Amino acid sequence: MSLFKGSSTFIARGLQRTGQRGSKGISGSLRLTTLGVAFSLSVMLLSVTIILGFREQIHEFAFSQTGHISINSFGSDWRNSNTPIHVSPELLTFLRQEPYVERVTPIIQEAGLLKTEDNFAGVLLYGIDSTFRGDYFAHNLREGRLPQTNLQQGHAMPEITLPVQTAERMGCRVGEKVRIYFFGDKMRVRVYTLVGVYESTGMELSPALCPISSLQRLNRWDDNTYSRLMLMLREPSHAERDLSELIASLQKRPNLIGQQDYGLNLGEELQPELFNWLTFLDTNVYALLSLMILVGGFTMITGLIILVLDKSKQIGILKALGATDGLLRRTFLLLAGRLILRGMLWGNLLALALGLVQQHFRLIRLNPANYFMSSVPIHFAPWAWVGINAGTLLLILIMILVPAGIVSRIRPAESMRID
């Protein structure tokens, strides 16, 4: 009967202590193994955290301009079309009552020319109301605030928030008045009070925000006429399904549409360059995750092989005393698991520390013209961290099953032989 039944944990602790007190080579090998796992895991965690940050920022920017679903004049280009759509109050109520729609935001967009005594610049204005979801603009405010949208008759002057590139180029400061010229059948000029400047992306013409009523008066449109509608969904991941359901619902109620020809598009369809860029980043991250898993796994395999070979005499003694191959395999797997968990702990702490430093101090800067943002974004997602940690532990344990089987090839008579 074996003396070692159920004692794999005890043996693993003993081998770990002797490894730490043993030769510098073995002790250093165990430290390098732990560091290899820690480095690989921290790189994976930071990579996913950064990619999620990019995804969140790009999604906020893209959908703040188009919505998850855009309704505009059929056949028009949402970026620069001045073709208006008439939206009846009944249609607006119907859209807002759909269970999958979070909010419906009307937009009026108008191109103009911001001019000072010394310079001029083209500017795209978005007329917005209180339903506008301005999270992206609010999070990226460099100075001031977003404009008030409840502009009433007799209000002294409408407010405007400019992108930082335009404000810096024109030398405009918060609190000053800016003049914007609009061209059509005749030139018109409107004066706005600059109340805010936001950190815009690398888009060629980031929008300025102003009250929707100011542009309705400029174009002499009634309260039910807009450039387009933006639909924000409760579940953006189901946008394609919700769009199909919306089209089917509208086809059943032609009275809501009347004579107006609407074009309905997904936000991702309207800005494919942004989402294709995100897909490219995702591909790179998958490749990096696979590479780091292999680095961590092979580091662990190397350390385990060195440890098994170094402890061959102890293994021979344990076998002579009745220890089975299965017991010894479990022992070395437990020892490897302790090293992996230690490395994972340091890897998590390192990734968390670096992520928090970047999130608060933005030390690593980016060129907005290439990356649509001024610094490397960070977004912590607990589910992603848990998944990466669990997956790393499982995959590395699977990878070390083969080297753990080396103990079955060690023969007591050979390993205990005195040279």
Side-chain angles (χ1 to χ4, degrees):
M1 181 177 180
S2 174
L3 300 175
F4 300 96
K5 185 176 181 180
S7 57
S8 57
T9 302
F10 174 77
I11 299 173
R13 289 175 181 172
L15 290 174
Q16 185 174 4
R17 285 195 295 269
T18 57
Q20 292 170 348
R21 295 194 301 264
S23 66
K24 292 183 179 180
I26 296 301
S27 180
S29 175
L30 294 180
R31 291 193 183 96
L32 287 175
T33 299
T34 302
L35 288 175
V37 174
F39 172 76
S40 300
L41 182 62
S42 63
V43 170
M44 287 189 287
L45 291 174
L46 283 174
S47 299
V48 172
T49 299
I50 291 171
I51 288 301
L52 290 177
F54 272 113
R55 180 175 293 278
E56 182 184 47
Q57 290 282 327
I58 295 297
H59 280 197
E60 273 193 3
F61 172 72
F63 294 136
S64 68
Q65 296 192 75
T66 63
H68 300 123
I69 296 176
S70 176
I71 301 179
N72 50 278
S73 179
F74 181 78
S76 65
D77 183 355
W78 73 274
R79 294 181 188 274
N80 50 34
S81 174
N82 290 323
T83 305
I85 57 172
H86 180 81
V87 181
S88 65
E90 293 78 15
L91 176 57
L92 205 56
T93 300
F94 167 80
L95 293 174
R96 286 173 173 162
Q97 289 178 347
E98 287 296 282
Y100 49 83
V101 175
E102 180 181 355
R103 70 175 68 188
V104 180
T105 299
I107 290 287
I108 295 180
Q109 61 187 55
E110 190 73 29
L113 185 71
L114 194 159
K115 187 177 183 302
T116 64
E117 294 182 357
D118 303 319
N119 206 350
F120 62 89
V123 60
L124 176 65
L125 277 74
Y126 279 7
I128 60 175
D129 65 6
S130 59
T131 63
F132 179 70
R133 183 174 176 176
D135 294 346
Y136 171 81
F137 301 95
H139 292 162
N140 289 278
L141 276 174
R142 176 180 288 190
E143 187 180 0
R145 57 177 174 81
L146 299 181
Q148 293 182 355
T149 57
N150 56 343
L151 183 63
Q152 303 294 331
Q153 288 285 353
H155 193 279
M157 193 173 298
E159 299 174 344
I160 193 170
T161 297
L162 291 175
V164 66
Q165 285 96 335
T166 302
E168 290 180 348
R169 175 182 173 184
M170 303 300 296
C172 299
R173 297 181 179 179
V174 172
E176 294 181 346
K177 295 177 176 59
V178 296
R179 287 180 172 82
I180 299 181
Y181 295 81
F182 300 92
F183 300 92
D185 295 336
K186 61 179 181 178
M187 187 177 68
R188 298 154 293 172
V189 60
R190 294 293 184 272
V191 181
Y192 293 86
T193 300
L194 180 60
V195 296
V197 174
Y198 73 92
E199 187 72 47
S200 51
T201 66
M203 301 297 288
E204 294 182 358
L205 200 59
S206 297
L209 306 179
C210 66
I212 193 171
S213 54
S214 68
L215 296 184
Q216 283 177 324
R217 296 174 189 172
L218 174 75
N219 294 326
R220 297 181 180 178
W221 291 354
D222 60 44
D223 292 341
N224 298 318
T225 302
Y226 314 104
S227 297
R228 51 194 171 87
L229 296 179
M230 300 193 307
L231 275 61
M232 307 303 296
L233 303 177
R234 301 185 188 279
E235 297 290 340
S237 59
H238 300 156
E240 189 170 351
R241 182 199 66 187
D242 293 341
L243 176 59
S244 299
E245 185 175 339
L246 176 60
I247 292 174
S249 299
L250 290 176
Q251 289 175 341
K252 296 177 181 178
R253 303 186 63 177
N255 59 301
L256 295 176
I257 300 176
Q259 301 301 315
Q260 179 73 55
D261 291 328
Y262 295 112
L264 283 78
N265 299 96
L266 294 174
E268 296 183 11
E269 296 174 343
L270 299 178
Q271 301 190 75
E273 67 282 357
L274 293 180
F275 295 95
N276 289 339
W277 184 67
L278 283 179
T279 302
F280 175 73
L281 287 181
D282 289 342
T283 303
N284 290 341
V285 168
Y286 295 145
L288 182 61
L289 290 179
S290 302
L291 179 61
M292 288 299 101
I293 283 286
L294 291 176
V295 169
F298 282 114
T299 300
M300 197 67 235
I301 289 172
T302 303
L304 186 59
I305 291 176
I306 293 174
L307 185 62
V308 169
L309 295 178
D310 181 70
K311 302 300 179 184
S312 58
K313 288 186 178 181
Q314 289 91 329
I315 294 172
I317 294 172
L318 291 171
K319 281 192 172 185
L321 293 175
T324 64
D325 290 338
L327 174 66
L328 292 173
R329 277 196 297 269
R330 290 196 300 273
T331 298
F332 279 94
L333 285 175
L334 282 172
L335 180 56
R338 289 173 180 270
L339 296 176
I340 295 171
L341 290 174
R342 183 180 296 176
M344 291 176 63
L345 174 62
W346 286 110
N348 277 271
L349 292 176
L350 178 61
L352 181 62
L354 294 176
L356 289 174
V357 168
Q358 175 61 23
Q359 187 178 54
H360 287 89
F361 299 103
R362 300 185 178 182
L363 298 180
I364 304 178
R365 310 295 293 183
L366 297 174
N367 183 357
N370 297 325
Y371 294 96
F372 307 101
M373 57 200 72
S374 60
S375 64
V376 172
I378 297 293
H379 177 70
F380 293 103
W383 59 267
W385 281 52
V386 171
I388 290 175
N389 276 275
T392 299
L393 178 61
L394 178 62
L395 290 175
I396 293 181
L397 284 176
I398 292 175
M399 291 177 69
I400 63 176
L401 286 176
V402 175
I406 295 177
V407 297
S408 63
R409 301 180 182 180
I410 296 178
R411 300 179 183 277
E414 296 178 358
S415 62
M416 293 186 294
R417 182 180 300 163
I418 299 176
D419 296 329

